[in-house]
Amino acid sequence: MAALIMRFKFSGFLKQLKFPSPDIHVLLDRGKQCIYSGFDPTSDSLHIGNLAVIIVLMHLQRLGHVILNVIGDATAQVGDPSGRNTERPVLSLLDIHKNSKCIQANLERLFENHEKYFWDPLKQKKHLVPVKILHNSEWYNNQDVVTFLSTVGRHFRLGQMLSRTSVQNRLKSQEGMSFTEFSYQIFQSFDWLFLYDKYNCRFQVGGSDQMGNIHSGHYLVNRVRSREVFGITTPLIKSDTGDKYGKTGGSAIWLSPDKTSPFEFYQFFIRLADKDVEAFLKYFTFLSLQEIESELQKHMKDPGSRHGQKTIAKNVTLLVHGEQGLQSALRATEALYHATPETLAKLNEVELRQIFQQATVVELLLDPGTTVLDMAMRAKCFIKLEDAERIIMAGGFYINHVRINNPKYVLIPGQHILPNGISVVRVGKKNYYIIKWLM
């Protein structure tokens, strides 16, 4: 535990610790503890900001603690004002239910991949304690508002509630804050009280924008049960412009493959700035401090090879998307940066569309004797026949990254048409076409 805490503290990963003692590892070393984090289903996928929190939970799971993941299908109806300048859009119960199922699938896949690819029970000489996934509607569905306010609400003081940063920021804004949003901290606090009563849950982990809500929960449990509980927050993962990588900022890197493909996900980490490599190795991998130091030394010897970024990208993509997703990302990356007919032939249509996102996709029937010019005109690569002939003969036309300068060439399967039944056509430097051949 001491090594884990030191790793996080020196990397800045544990942003704030609400502990009465600096020796926090002693508290977690006293035996099996119950630790939770909450995820409101305001979208149909988690993102890498959530992943930072989840990896802390995984580290704690590796130490033998019980992990609770709480999906806030009830609190999503209230709306968390933290980190927002405006009120959240109201979600229908149907959307919340759908989002909750997607978030649960995210969490199940992440913890399954962690155990499958990053945990060896024989080497570690123990099995991981299974995580629990709960929905807070379980304890709100039978609540009535009068009872809730009279039993829970009476413990909160307006002065403390008004002092929260999220509340202050909104009160100063032009839009202000609704009573519904203002009450969110009471509901999240009650989550912790319920989990304490049922599971003896004394620890909560969240992003640093949740510090106010965590403090409120700490206050409620301490006041009602006279027991000390503890909060841990992680820093927000931000872009070079200072925007957090979340759905609010419009720059989200999602954990669901249908929202951010494994290729795009992998490329996000490949494009990390060198200055971020050390922190991300500590944030997002399960490498030991000694292994991280070794990776950094290799990276510094030749930063241009992006060794550190590749290590991070491989580890995180494997965790989020599994072996199949990682291999898909690696194939697509090879095809993008080392493009040959052979590398393109390994890709399926979905992977090709991910690489060439702006490409026009065309389906054509392959007739005997189809020429390069026939294909170009049928795919509408050119408007005029004379333009097609001129540009092709001038060397501005490529099939599967090979320059073709004779418009009368007859297409040859296996050369111009890849084994996957696709041709990748480029006109000039940037105009791509993906042609699916109907055989």
Side-chain angles (χ1 to χ4, degrees):
M1 172 58 67
L4 174 64
I5 297 300
M6 293 294 286
R7 165 184 177 157
F8 284 163
K9 289 182 72 174
F10 281 117
S11 65
F13 201 11
L14 298 187
K15 187 72 173 179
Q16 300 180 53
L17 300 165
K18 188 168 185 55
F19 284 91
S21 165
D23 299 324
I24 59 174
H25 62 279
V26 175
L27 296 167
L28 292 169
D29 273 340
R30 288 178 179 171
K32 185 183 294 185
Q33 298 286 349
C34 184
I35 302 158
Y36 101 94
S37 189
F39 306 92
D40 276 356
T42 51
S43 183
D44 56 357
S45 174
L46 298 174
H47 51 75
I48 65 164
N50 303 126
L51 184 60
V53 172
I54 292 168
I55 287 181
V56 171
L57 297 177
M58 289 173 174
H59 277 291
L60 294 167
Q61 181 195 25
R62 293 160 78 93
L63 295 169
H65 300 300
V66 177
I67 303 301
L68 307 178
N69 293 288
V70 176
I71 297 175
D73 55 338
T75 45
Q77 300 173 54
V78 178
D80 184 2
S82 302
R84 292 188 60 90
N85 297 320
T86 58
E87 189 165 0
R88 294 179 183 275
V90 177
L91 295 174
S92 69
L93 292 178
L94 183 63
D95 283 337
I96 291 175
H97 178 68
K98 181 193 73 172
N99 291 349
S100 296
K101 291 180 65 176
C102 293
I103 300 302
Q104 179 164 345
N106 283 167
L107 291 167
E108 290 172 345
R109 186 180 73 250
L110 285 165
F111 281 93
E112 287 171 4
N113 286 345
H114 166 244
E115 185 168 4
K116 182 176 181 180
Y117 300 113
F118 295 95
W119 184 258
D120 184 347
L122 295 178
K123 181 179 179 181
Q124 303 296 335
K125 298 181 180 179
K126 63 179 178 180
H127 290 278
L128 294 172
V129 179
V131 301
K132 297 180 185 293
I133 298 178
L134 310 172
H135 295 74
N136 65 5
S137 59
E138 295 172 18
W139 50 91
Y140 283 113
N141 282 348
N142 295 324
Q143 291 274 0
D144 69 83
V145 64
V146 174
T147 302
F148 184 78
L149 288 176
S150 65
T151 57
V152 179
R154 69 171 59 254
H155 295 291
F156 287 84
R157 297 295 176 264
L158 280 176
Q160 292 177 328
M161 296 179 71
L162 288 166
S163 69
R164 298 287 178 258
T165 301
S166 60
V167 174
Q168 285 294 312
N169 290 341
R170 287 294 299 280
L171 290 178
K172 295 175 183 177
S173 69
Q174 185 174 359
E175 181 171 322
M177 172 179 269
S178 69
F179 172 77
T180 303
E181 286 184 301
F182 181 62
S183 67
Y184 182 88
Q185 56 185 293
I186 301 179
F187 286 92
Q188 185 164 322
S189 300
F190 181 72
D191 284 350
W192 200 349
L193 179 62
F194 177 89
L195 296 172
Y196 172 80
D197 287 344
K198 185 168 183 176
Y199 299 100
N200 193 30
C201 182
R202 299 183 65 194
F203 292 81
Q204 182 181 174
V205 179
S208 60
D209 59 347
Q210 292 297 307
M211 193 60 194
N213 291 326
I214 292 174
H215 188 278
S216 295
H218 172 273
Y219 166 81
L220 179 63
V221 178
N222 184 263
R223 178 181 176 87
V224 175
R225 298 292 179 256
S226 300
R227 287 295 306 274
E228 191 71 80
V229 292
F230 313 100
I232 301 173
T233 66
T234 65
L236 301 179
I237 307 302
K238 296 184 178 181
S239 66
D240 290 338
T241 61
D243 297 323
K244 69 176 182 178
Y245 284 107
K247 50 189 175 293
T248 305
S251 57
I253 306 299
W254 302 99
L255 304 190
S256 294
D258 55 344
K259 292 176 72 73
T260 297
S261 71
F263 167 69
E264 295 171 300
F265 188 84
Y266 181 89
Q267 287 299 313
F268 166 77
F269 291 97
I270 288 292
R271 293 192 294 268
L272 285 176
D274 288 333
K275 64 181 178 61
D276 294 328
V277 167
E278 180 176 1
F280 273 65
L281 281 169
K282 293 175 179 176
Y283 287 5
F284 289 108
T285 76
F286 299 100
L287 300 175
S288 67
L289 288 174
Q290 292 78 10
E291 290 170 328
I292 289 173
E293 185 60 34
S294 175
E295 292 295 317
L296 288 172
Q297 289 177 4
K298 293 176 183 177
H299 177 77
M300 293 307 295
K301 286 181 180 178
D302 182 16
S305 69
R306 307 191 78 76
H307 176 84
Q309 287 93 336
K310 290 176 182 177
T311 297
I312 298 165
K314 287 180 180 179
N315 276 269
V316 186
T317 305
L318 182 62
L319 175 66
V320 174
H321 295 294
E323 182 64 33
Q324 186 175 350
L326 174 59
Q327 292 305 317
S328 174
L330 292 174
R331 286 194 302 270
T333 298
E334 183 183 8
L336 179 64
Y337 293 106
H338 308 284
T340 65
E342 290 73 26
T343 58
L344 291 176
K346 297 177 183 178
L347 304 178
N348 57 40
E349 180 190 350
V350 173
E351 292 168 340
L352 285 168
R353 289 194 187 205
Q354 291 169 2
I355 299 173
F356 307 107
Q357 295 182 13
Q358 306 304 318
T360 300
V361 181
V362 182
E363 291 187 353
L364 297 179
L365 182 65
L366 181 62
D367 297 321
T370 299
T371 67
V372 170
L373 184 61
D374 293 334
M375 176 189 69
M377 295 307 296
R378 289 170 59 193
K380 298 182 180 180
C381 299
F382 305 95
I383 298 176
K384 298 180 180 179
L385 185 65
E386 53 266 32
D387 289 338
E389 292 178 325
R390 174 175 54 81
I391 292 175
I392 293 172
M393 294 175 67
F397 192 81
Y398 298 77
I399 300 178
N400 303 328
H401 294 300
V402 177
R403 180 184 282 118
I404 305 295
N405 53 21
N406 187 340
K408 296 181 181 179
Y409 273 161
V410 174
L411 299 180
I412 302 173
Q415 179 179 343
H416 303 113
I417 302 172
L418 299 170
N420 52 19
I422 290 174
S423 298
V424 178
V425 172
R426 173 162 63 92
V427 181
K429 293 183 177 180
K430 298 181 179 179
N431 297 315
Y432 282 94
Y433 299 80
I434 295 175
I435 298 176
K436 290 180 59 181
W437 292 102
L438 305 177
M439 305 291 188

